[in-house]
Every structure is written in C-alpha cells, then in structure tokens.
Amino acid sequence: MLHVVERYFSAYNAHDLGEVMACYGREPRAVGPGGPAEGRSEVASYHTLVWQAFPDVRVTVWQKIVTDAAVAAAAVGTGTHAGPFPLTTGEVVEATGRRVSVRSCWMFDIDVVCGLIGCSEVFYDQLELCVQLGLRMPA
C-alpha cells in the first residue's frame, strides 16, 4: 500500500498526470476543501487545476501512517501562485506571484484487491494559504 502512495507523490511532484491517474483504481475519488471530485475526468481536472495555479508545487512528506487499507501522510506543499486559484467561497484568486508553504494532511483509501488508490483526501490550512497569498479576511 505504501508503494502506491509513494508513487503518487513522486508523480504529483513531477506533475505527471498520466502517472498520478495510474495510481488510482477504476472509479477514483478525490476530496479537497472545495468538495469531492468523482471519476477519472473530475479527479484529473482537480490535479490540473492545482498545477495551473501553482505550476512549481511540490509536496514534501514528513510522516506516513499505514493501516490495513489506508495511508495517512503529513506534509507541506510549497509553490508559487502563478495562475487562477478557486477558493471554497467561489471566488477565484488571480496569480499573485507569492510563494506559499502550507501544511497538509493526506488520507488515501487503498483498494486492497487492486492495490490502487480508491479515494484521496487532502486537508490543508486554508487560512494559512489565504494569509500567504495576501488576501484580506472577511470581518
């Protein structure tokens, strides 16, 4: 199980969409702060959106926890905001050119039959990201 997650992060950091998607099973799901992406097309679009907003994004994994059918990873994502990025509010933040470093936690449900990712879920500190992008917080 750990192998497919390590393969995923390697492909993610290389921005290799084909290899990222090869880490997922037949009916993948990805969940982020903006909600779920279901199916190969939506999951691929989710990754592409992040890479367009942060074309040099890299995830550095600090710690992994492995169970029978899941892997959790504590990490930090770093990159430069160089393209439009949609917020959970529905607003789109245009490129700021700012460098960000945001802590995150990734959860991977692994399909034990095929050994691939069934669902990936990422949690990150949205306030930390917004502050680093220079956004004003609502009163």
Side-chain angles (χ1 to χ4, degrees):
M1 281 191 302
L2 187 56
H3 173 73
V4 73
V5 171
E6 289 172 341
R7 189 174 134 209
Y8 170 89
F9 280 120
S10 178
Y12 187 93
N13 285 337
H15 299 197
D16 183 339
L17 186 59
E19 184 62 19
V20 164
M21 294 309 297
C23 295
Y24 284 95
R26 290 183 50 214
E27 296 180 30
R29 292 184 67 236
V31 182
E38 299 192 29
R40 299 195 80 68
S41 171
E42 285 186 18
V43 171
S45 291
Y46 172 79
H47 288 86
T48 300
L49 181 86
V50 173
W51 294 334
Q52 288 173 342
F54 299 93
D56 61 347
V57 68
R58 280 192 62 76
V59 174
T60 302
V61 176
W62 291 331
Q63 180 183 19
K64 293 173 241 168
I65 300 170
V66 181
T67 69
D68 291 340
V71 176
V76 63
T78 56
T80 307
H81 181 220
F85 183 68
L87 300 176
T88 57
T89 60
E91 299 171 75
V92 175
V93 180
E94 295 302 325
T96 63
R98 290 177 179 241
R99 191 100 176 114
V100 299
S101 179
V102 179
R103 294 166 293 153
S104 59
C105 178
W106 299 69
M107 304 292 292
F108 298 91
D109 290 330
I110 309 298
D111 181 332
V112 293
V113 174
C114 67
L116 298 173
I117 299 167
C119 181
S120 63
E121 193 162 357
V122 63
F123 302 90
Y124 61 86
D125 189 331
Q126 295 175 64
L127 179 58
E128 184 176 47
L129 176 63
C130 288
V131 167
Q132 290 182 32
L133 291 177
L135 304 178
R136 286 191 55 202
M137 297 296 103

